[in-house]
Amino acid sequence: MKHDIKDPKLKALGKKRIEWAAEDMPVLKQVNEKFGKNKPLKGLRMSACLHVTAETANLVRALKAGGADVVLCASNPLSTQDDVAAALTLEYGIPVFAIKGEDNDTYYKHMHAALAHSPHITMDDGADLVSTIHTEYVNLIPQIIGSMEETTTGVIRLKAMEKDGALKLPVIAVNDAATKNLFDNRYGTGQSTIDGIIRATDTLLAGKNVVTVGYGWCGKGFAMRAKGMGANVIVCEIDPVKAIEAVMDGFRVMEMGEAAKIGDIFCTLTGNIHVLRAEHFKKMKDCAIVCNSGHFNVEIDIPGLKKAAKSVRKEVRNFVDEYILPNGNRIHLLADGRLINLAAAEGHPACVMDMSFATQALASEFCVEKRGELKNQVYYVPAEIENHVATFKLKSMGISIDKLTAEQKKYLASWQEGT
Ligand code: ADE
């Protein structure tokens, strides 16, 4: 299979959207130009398993400019932008294997096609590629220089592999870079999740009880933006420190058993399984909206919801399935529990993906520079890359910041001076 896309006729539209996004990705543009001159990825094959969006298109274009022979498959069956897939394949010569709404078999068929490319470097969003390499493509492991991981869920999986001694290649946890999670996870998820909920339902947030399940960076961003739209935000957490943080940020914190009775809109952003389940659905109000913005579609127990419901009306509106419970209450499940921000909206805006993807590109250059030196473990992104990305982002915004004076540098380096 050379590529697999929905419709070649979509390529012109996809090209326009890729170019539009590129305008808001100045740091990645600068990396692209540098890569074009230095070719740090020359002669290397790369397989990327990422959400196929206009922003991702600009990342893989930068990798190609750096000399890599790149192919791309989707990291989620519902997040692909088919026009972007067509343009990447047919306009930019980067083969894509992804069709929005593909079933599980096709999703894995596409991943196998990306791995048939025999990569030296991989890029993952959720660790499906790396985990498939470890189970079905062990022959590739000796040639793999390293893999980049884009998301919290993926890093959790990879750290579990490392702890078990199962990780057989070096990984860079791009997600854990401050230039990624402080901005993409917080401001990106905050805005795009609200966008997805509104596009799917056209609901008004003002005055609604919005239940944020999980108060990591994604949950914080979502809660902050829901509050800004006038919602009464309730936070559910299992981590006591994060729970206090939510309280002091001004939110009500309670157990899901209580929140389930009063919530109008529920959004899961935990990275964990079945945080909303039958015992909660049974308590929910009529027409409660339930959605997920965590990586996998496991946060809402959908089999449990199906079992608890007496009937289902599919697609009462695009991206909305209505589950009717024996007590007559209806639950509106969005996007089949998949990432609502990518399924019903367009994912995070380009401006914020700029930082994440510039970090991704520079992390892959770092892997090549350190070829043979990296151990089979999960590495943080080097501080120089983070500083480079942040400095360029500020510059592109026309913002300049203060520098330490010689006296201040000396003061910070000394321990003798006290009161
Ligand atoms: N993850 C969240 N938003 C995204 C986007 N716009 N592109 C790629 N990955 C994403």
Side-chain angles (χ1 to χ4, degrees), residues 51-56 81 125 150 184 192 341-342 346-349 353 357:
H51 299 297
V52 181
T53 65
E55 294 73 31
T56 301
Q81 296 170 0
D125 189 328
E150 168 73 8
D184 165 325
S192 62
N341 60 337
L342 281 141
E346 292 170 70
H348 307 347
M353 294 312 292
F357 283 166

Side-chain angles (χ1 to χ4, degrees), residues 339-415:
L339 283 159
I340 186 63
N341 60 337
L342 281 141
E346 292 170 70
H348 307 347
C351 176
V352 83
M353 294 312 292
D354 184 29
M355 297 174 76
S356 311
F357 283 166
T359 308
Q360 278 280 10
L362 294 171
S364 46
E365 180 185 37
F366 166 79
C367 267
V368 177
E369 282 164 4
K370 296 283 168 199
R371 191 176 192 164
E373 289 174 40
L374 300 176
K375 301 200 180 79
N376 298 338
Q377 63 186 62
V378 180
Y379 286 88
Y380 289 109
V381 171
E384 304 82 73
I385 293 183
E386 296 229 46
N387 287 334
H388 178 92
V389 170
T391 303
F392 263 84
K393 192 68 180 172
L394 279 172
K395 201 170 161 209
S396 74
M397 294 164 144
I399 297 169
S400 74
I401 58 170
D402 294 314
K403 291 185 183 55
L404 289 172
T405 63
E407 182 194 27
Q408 286 169 334
K409 275 190 197 159
K410 188 163 164 248
Y411 178 80
L412 290 177
S414 72
W415 54 269

Side-chain angles (χ1 to χ4, degrees), residues 123-311:
M123 230 173 229
D124 235 338
D125 189 328
D128 273 351
L129 207 58
V130 166
S131 108
T132 307
I133 290 170
H134 279 72
T135 49
E136 295 175 62
Y137 290 82
V138 281
N139 58 311
L140 289 179
I141 291 176
Q143 76 187 45
I144 295 183
I145 301 169
S147 184
M148 268 43 70
E149 174 52 53
E150 168 73 8
T151 201
T152 315
T153 300
V155 172
I156 292 170
R157 282 176 93 183
L158 293 161
K159 285 191 175 157
M161 286 175 81
E162 182 185 18
K163 194 158 163 255
D164 275 359
L167 187 66
K168 301 290 179 224
L169 47 83
V171 168
I172 314 283
V174 173
N175 176 74
D176 291 5
T179 44
K180 199 273 178 184
N181 64 57
L182 288 184
F183 306 97
D184 165 325
N185 298 23
R186 179 166 39 172
Y187 302 108
T189 306
Q191 180 167 320
S192 62
T193 302
I194 300 275
D195 186 13
I197 293 172
I198 293 175
R199 288 200 210 190
T201 61
D202 196 27
T203 194
L204 182 77
L205 289 173
K208 296 280 167 59
N209 288 334
V210 171
V211 181
T212 304
V213 195
Y215 205 64
W217 286 120
C218 296
K220 285 188 180 80
F222 175 67
M224 173 171 66
R225 291 296 176 246
K227 182 179 175 181
M229 299 285 281
N232 300 308
V233 175
I234 296 165
V235 172
C236 298
E237 243 307 332
I238 46 90
D239 177 330
V241 176
K242 289 187 180 137
I244 301 176
E245 213 182 344
V247 172
M248 296 208 182
D249 285 345
F251 300 122
R252 276 189 293 166
V253 174
M254 62 185 78
E255 290 180 24
M256 182 54 79
E258 290 306 305
K261 295 180 205 157
I262 53 177
D264 297 299
I265 300 168
F266 296 81
C267 184
T268 56
L269 312 99
T270 68
N272 210 339
I273 191 167
H274 296 174
V275 293
L276 283 178
R277 45 190 184 267
E279 63 187 280
H280 305 130
F281 303 133
K282 287 177 187 161
K283 292 182 178 167
M284 286 181 187
K285 297 200 271 190
D286 187 28
C287 290
I289 292 171
V290 171
C291 67
N292 167 53
S293 205
H295 185 77
F296 286 119
N297 62 336
V298 296
E299 306 212 7
I300 301 165
D301 178 9
I302 297 172
L305 178 57
K306 285 186 180 150
K307 222 166 128 197
K310 65 173 185 192
S311 59

